Amino acid sequence: MQKFEVETGLVAPMDRPNVDTDAIIPKQYLKSIKRAGFGPNLFDDWRYLDPGAPDADNSQRRINPDFVLNQPRYAGATILLARENFGCGSSREHAVWALTDYGFRAVIAPAFADIFYNNSFKNGFLPIALKEEEVDALFKACFANEGYSLTIDLAAQTVSTPDGEAYHFDIDPFRKHCLLNGLDDIELTLQHRAEIENYEARRRQEAPWLFGGA
Amino acid sequence: MAGKTLYDKVWDAHVVRSEEDGTALLYIDRHLIHEVTSPQAFEGLRLAGRQPWRVGSILGVADHNVPTTDRASGIADPVSRTQVDTLDANCTAFGITEFRMNDLRQGIVHVIGPEQGATLPGMTVVCGDSHTATHGAFGALAFGIGTSEVEHVMATQCLVQKKSKNMRVTVKGHVGPGVEGKDIVLAIIGELGTAGGTGYTIEFAGEAIADLSMEGRMTVCNMAIEAGARAGMVAVDQTTIDYVKNRPYGPTAAQWEAAVASWQDLHSDEDAVFDKEIVIDAATIKPQVTWGTSPEMVVPVDAVVPDPAAESDSVKASGMEKALAYMGISAGMPITDIAIDKVFIGSCTNSRIEDLRSAAAVIKGRRKADSVSVAMVVPGSGLVKQQAEKEGLDKIFTDAGFEWREPGCSMCLAMNADRLEPGERCASTSNRNFEGRQGQGGRTHLVSPAMAAAAAIAGHFVDARAF
């Protein structure tokens, strides 16, 4: 997994609540059996004026000039600014894959849906929850200043603005450790192999019906 | 010390080890997989040279991409076909049991798990699908996971988890006739909001929940995720035990008594403390209809479309305005004035036998309105379909001008050929009314099976209790 340490980058504002994973990556692109290549279809329904298909050449499609990510001032953004309940809905990890494939490294919002939040950490992508008024201030600053960028320091757990303000964010210590070091958590779990086997052996005795093979 | 909640009990029974910060390694009893969220996980296993930890814990089925019409000729869309073929190949390669497309037992993963007894009380159940919450109806701890976690469970039989908080939603008293599980859960989501349950496991309790059949409880738990909660649960009672008995993957006859004895404890202790409690009076719940693009945008059928101008939260108000524009309706419009183009009865929320019976009871002897171009019924599994045909429900539907289809996820998310065209409006028994969910530009109104059936007859929303 890609490490996350410090990220300084341009901010793109997604100013609507409850952005769901269907909006982040529509269902037709979920037919891929790969992890890569979802970036061109990130926010597909909002980003293009004509319908897309998994095998379509996206460069031939009509761009929606009103959509925020299509505005030249946000080209190359690596930090997404969002509203409450970002990533709600379907469990599709493709939503995170689409965001990272597009080039985003982090998303800042007042709150995230649980499954999306969880999926993010498995992909070196950092979801940061700040207070609603802090997010609001960032939106205002982002709209007001072209080229607005932020610096995220995971070790220090801060989001720093160009004028020197630093917002603190909370993160689970285990997740922080994995992200800072780019650790694969399957390998970490398998270090406890003996404990898993012991648990399993005990449960087979106690509740054998749980082991009825499918 | 305070007693334990149902969630506490199932959680505690599955902790393999825990860290000082509360991070736990949680053992997973049942892992359901489907074609959309598993291919990259299998690829990960292969790249790392790993094998599934316990193959017998996994049950596979293709549901999202399968056609609901003629299956003899296979899947027409080559991309969909590749995904289903990939699942078949992976299950074969790793020795995983799979119900293939033409197996009678094939169906929506959240319908077949309980139907087969692969979902049992007190289990931990996961699947790469947010509607895994459905299985909580059995007093199981069931939640949706991403593809990396699918791989993690296959490789280790465990997940690294932090415990959620406890919430109880008590639906006090009894609902009136014609009010279904779907109406109950939509009313709950309307009250809680779409993020109200984030960070919680919700236990649904109260007489109105106990009154429900297992099908009704599954509908309620299924939509816990639409209130933001990864898991919903209902305590085990005789209704649960009666449902589970004699299912193919359930306890053997020799294990049955011990299993039932162990399930007696699967309820919250009387002195259990919840982090949040909500109480709803069942008698006030009417048939519900969503009007917007989030399941929390819901009102009773006799209400009007809400006005964003009356909303004090500006972010919320702008969300409502966007929703009204997308849905092509305006504030103040009576819900019963909203005309529909299509009707979809199906999905992991409402495609079980009881749902089909409820819709058929409304439809019997009537015909769909001419203005409704398509009304389709998609049973949740081959076995549900077979049962419905035995009861003659298919005939009631087809006589009324409905299409009787093969089982799958179908137009709930339109990954197969079943979808809305831009601007089309649908009365749907599914779970999400997000923009484009049922097809790009399509407009979805979530309702119960009886309400969808009534809308098909009238051509617009109408109180199904009048039928």
Side-chain angles (χ1 to χ4, degrees):
Chain A
M1 187 178 75
Q2 196 185 354
K3 283 185 191 180
F4 192 109
E5 292 167 296
V6 177
E7 170 68 23
T8 298
L10 188 68
V11 181
M14 180 59 59
D15 191 13
R16 53 196 291 164
N18 302 320
V19 171
D20 58 74
T21 53
D22 274 79
I24 297 173
I25 185 80
K27 84 282 271 147
Q28 62 267 38
Y29 306 106
L30 269 46
K31 295 181 187 185
S32 166
I33 57 172
K34 302 193 175 72
R35 273 175 198 260
F38 295 99
N41 300 110
L42 174 71
F43 298 118
D44 196 274
D45 284 0
W46 294 337
R47 194 162 150 196
Y48 301 98
L49 291 170
D50 46 9
D55 45 1
D57 177 359
N58 294 296
S59 67
Q60 300 303 307
R61 294 173 63 193
R62 285 189 300 131
I63 296 285
N64 174 5
D66 296 333
F67 182 60
V68 62
L69 293 185
N70 291 332
Q71 294 169 22
R73 64 180 281 194
Y74 300 120
T78 61
I79 298 169
L80 188 67
L81 189 59
R83 295 290 187 184
E84 64 154 54
N85 200 27
F86 186 83
C88 61
S90 153
S91 65
R92 58 188 72 166
E93 197 161 321
H94 313 64
V96 179
W97 300 336
L99 286 161
T100 55
D101 197 57
Y102 182 87
F104 285 115
R105 297 278 351 252
V107 53
I108 300 171
F112 297 94
D114 287 338
I115 304 178
F116 175 84
Y117 188 76
N118 226 22
N119 287 342
S120 297
F121 289 100
K122 315 285 182 192
N123 295 279
F125 181 73
L126 179 60
I128 296 174
L130 291 182
K131 295 191 187 77
E132 200 152 352
E133 57 272 23
E134 294 170 342
V135 171
D136 224 39
L138 291 176
F139 265 102
K140 287 199 179 91
C142 184
F143 286 130
N145 303 290
E146 197 159 334
Y148 189 74
S149 71
L150 292 168
T151 297
I152 296 165
D153 184 335
L154 176 57
Q157 296 179 219
T158 54
V159 175
S160 307
T161 68
D163 48 12
E165 187 141 18
Y167 298 114
H168 175 84
F169 62 89
D170 289 329
I171 181 171
D172 175 79
F174 176 72
R175 283 172 163 153
K176 177 178 171 179
H177 173 73
C178 289
L179 210 48
L180 279 172
N181 298 290
L183 298 178
D184 166 12
D185 56 358
I186 292 180
E187 208 48 62
L188 291 177
T189 296
L190 287 174
Q191 290 172 5
H192 307 299
R193 178 181 285 277
E195 278 171 272
I196 303 170
E197 284 169 351
N198 289 342
Y199 172 91
E200 200 168 50
R202 174 170 63 79
R203 290 286 280 176
R204 264 185 207 280
Q205 292 290 319
E206 283 173 7
W209 53 88
L210 296 176
F211 295 82
Chain B
M1 207 177 90
K4 287 179 170 185
T5 66
L6 169 59
Y7 171 52
D8 294 339
K9 290 178 184 180
V10 181
W11 172 275
D12 289 350
H14 289 85
V15 173
V16 172
R17 59 173 280 125
S18 41
E19 306 295 336
E20 269 178 28
D21 71 349
T23 305
L25 200 56
L26 199 70
Y27 188 85
I28 303 303
D29 295 317
R30 179 66 67 202
H31 188 188
L32 304 167
I33 61 171
H34 63 79
E35 79 277 21
V36 182
T37 56
S38 66
Q40 297 88 351
F42 280 112
E43 183 193 49
L45 281 188
R46 279 201 185 86
L47 287 173
R50 292 177 178 130
Q51 287 291 320
W53 181 283
R54 183 158 68 82
V55 165
S57 69
I58 312 172
L59 177 59
V61 71
D63 54 6
H64 286 62
N65 281 278
V66 298
T68 57
T69 49
D70 180 21
R71 287 203 175 157
S73 46
I75 304 173
D77 174 1
V79 197
S80 284
R81 191 171 59 233
T82 300
Q83 202 162 48
V84 173
D85 288 348
T86 303
L87 179 69
D88 292 352
N90 282 326
C91 287
T92 303
F94 289 99
I96 293 166
T97 303
E98 183 200 5
F99 298 157
R100 294 209 175 184
M101 194 168 78
N102 291 317
D103 189 315
L104 180 64
R105 300 167 296 177
Q106 183 269 342
I108 305 172
V109 66
H110 307 308
V111 174
I112 69 160
E115 191 172 73
Q116 294 294 323
T119 302
L120 293 173
M123 269 186 167
T124 43
V125 180
V126 297
C127 176
D129 191 290
S130 61
H131 292 112
T132 308
T134 310
H135 309 263
F138 291 82
L141 172 58
F143 52 90
I145 57 179
T147 298
S148 295
E149 289 184 318
V150 170
E151 184 183 340
H152 195 118
V153 177
M154 286 204 281
T156 71
Q157 209 58 43
C158 293
L159 279 175
V160 179
Q161 293 286 299
K162 266 263 173 90
K163 199 177 170 198
S164 311
K165 289 179 282 185
N166 278 290
M167 184 192 302
R168 178 162 57 190
V169 175
T170 305
V171 189
K172 243 174 66 182
H174 307 279
V175 293
V179 175
E180 305 190 344
K182 184 65 161 286
D183 301 309
I184 296 176
V185 73
L186 283 172
I188 292 171
I189 295 164
E191 177 97 13
L192 266 178
T194 187
T198 303
Y200 291 93
T201 289
I202 301 179
E203 179 176 343
F204 298 99
E207 292 95 338
I209 301 295
D211 287 348
L212 292 171
S213 65
M214 287 317 295
E215 284 84 351
R217 295 178 193 182
M218 283 189 257
T219 301
V220 171
C221 288
N222 172 275
M223 290 190 74
I225 185 67
E226 279 15 285
R230 273 179 96 176
M233 300 177 89
V234 174
V236 171
D237 62 9
Q238 196 56 43
T239 305
T240 326
I241 292 167
D242 290 344
Y243 181 99
V244 169
K245 199 167 186 183
N246 296 325
R247 302 268 163 186
Y249 292 91
T252 61
Q255 295 165 343
W256 179 253
E257 279 186 25
V260 172
S262 82
W263 296 339
Q264 299 304 321
D265 191 42
L266 292 173
H267 55 80
S268 291
D269 294 332
E270 271 185 36
D271 56 345
V273 178
F274 289 82
D275 300 290
K276 191 170 176 181
E277 292 241 33
I278 306 269
V279 178
I280 293 177
D281 179 3
T284 63
I285 301 176
K286 296 174 184 173
Q288 305 280 310
V289 181
T290 65
W291 56 268
T293 54
S294 167
E296 71 181 10
M297 295 173 170
V298 63
V299 290
V301 63
D302 58 0
V304 299
V305 176
D307 188 353
E311 172 60 54
S312 54
D313 178 336
S314 66
V315 174
K316 228 176 189 167
S318 109
M320 289 170 74
E321 275 160 20
K322 284 190 173 87
L324 288 179
Y326 182 85
M327 294 298 288
I329 52 176
S330 44
M333 185 175 181
I335 292 293
T336 49
D337 280 1
I338 301 175
I340 53 159
D341 305 304
K342 285 184 175 168
V343 172
F344 172 62
I345 297 176
S347 87
C348 60
T349 313
N350 281 127
S351 63
R352 299 179 181 84
I353 189 66
E354 185 184 277
D355 300 317
L356 304 189
R357 286 178 189 143
S358 161
V362 169
I363 288 162
K364 195 169 187 179
R366 298 187 167 96
R367 268 201 73 78
K368 77 166 177 67
D370 290 339
S371 57
V372 173
S373 64
V374 176
M376 64 168 97
V377 186
V378 183
S381 72
L383 290 167
V384 168
K385 181 168 185 260
Q386 187 184 52
Q387 177 63 31
E389 287 171 356
K390 220 161 90 186
E391 296 177 20
L393 304 185
D394 58 321
K395 190 82 174 48
I396 295 174
F397 287 119
T398 51
D399 284 352
F402 283 60
E403 296 176 15
W404 180 244
R405 301 285 190 95
E406 298 295 330
C409 299
S410 179
M411 207 165 72
C412 172
L413 86 168
M415 274 190 81
N416 70 351
D418 310 334
R419 66 180 60 132
L420 297 180
E421 296 305 320
E424 277 187 334
R425 188 181 300 284
C426 182
S428 178
T429 66
S430 55
N431 40 58
R432 290 192 173 128
N433 50 355
F434 298 159
E435 285 187 20
R437 172 81 178 180
Q438 295 192 290
Q440 199 180 25
R443 295 159 169 163
T444 303
H445 297 269
L446 305 175
V447 287
S448 73
M451 285 289 288
I457 306 299
H460 55 85
F461 290 107
V462 58
D463 192 335
R465 294 175 299 181
F467 278 71

